Amino acid sequence: MSDERAVPPVLVSACLRGVPCRFDGRDKAAGGLDAQLAGRRVVAFCPEQAGGLATPRAAAELVGGDGHAVLEGRARVVDVTGADVTEAFVAGARRALDAARRTGCAEAVLMPRSPSCGRGEVYDGEFRGVLVPGDGVTAALLERNGIAVRRAPGV
């Protein structure tokens, strides 16, 4: 019998673990992810819900830059109705970082393209379905604090 404590836990976007917490009220369970995480303790976390946003909620995108720019105060997170939800996204990112630190996670596997969890590419902020290089707010904050962030495969 293996000891799960021997391998550090990993923070994972809750939607990838089957939790219906996405903006549209659905999950994005990634079957292939289970095999990659076998033997590891998984800390499932939704930064958007942790930041106080409801599920379902209006779709949001990064405007004026990516998550790094949001953390620096140079960009915002705005939903499709025009509401500024930056504060909730930043608060959720901080809670994700706290959860990772509290549980000993040195790595995170996050939902691609999300304004919170996106790693490497996010939507362009004009709600056209166009992807641009960049990271979501949570991915940026985790990375800045030494937590290795990678995109969930096959999602």
Side-chain angles (χ1 to χ4, degrees), residues 72-86:
E72 295 162 4
R74 297 183 293 109
R76 310 296 294 159
V77 186
V78 178
D79 75 21
V80 72
T81 71
D84 187 325
V85 290
T86 304

Side-chain angles (χ1 to χ4, degrees), residues 12-19 28-30 33-34 109-112 152 155:
V12 178
S13 295
C15 62
L16 295 172
R17 302 297 292 166
V19 177
K28 198 72 168 180
L33 188 58
D34 290 340
V109 178
L110 303 179
M111 178 66 199
V155 181

Side-chain angles (χ1 to χ4, degrees), residues 1-6 39:
M1 190 162 137
S2 67
D3 183 1
E4 287 187 9
R5 291 173 291 176

Side-chain angles (χ1 to χ4, degrees), residues 130-150:
V130 174
L131 292 168
V132 296
D135 296 326
V137 179
T138 297
L141 186 63
L142 293 174
E143 180 182 78
R144 286 174 172 217
N145 284 275
I147 296 174
V149 178
R150 61 185 175 100

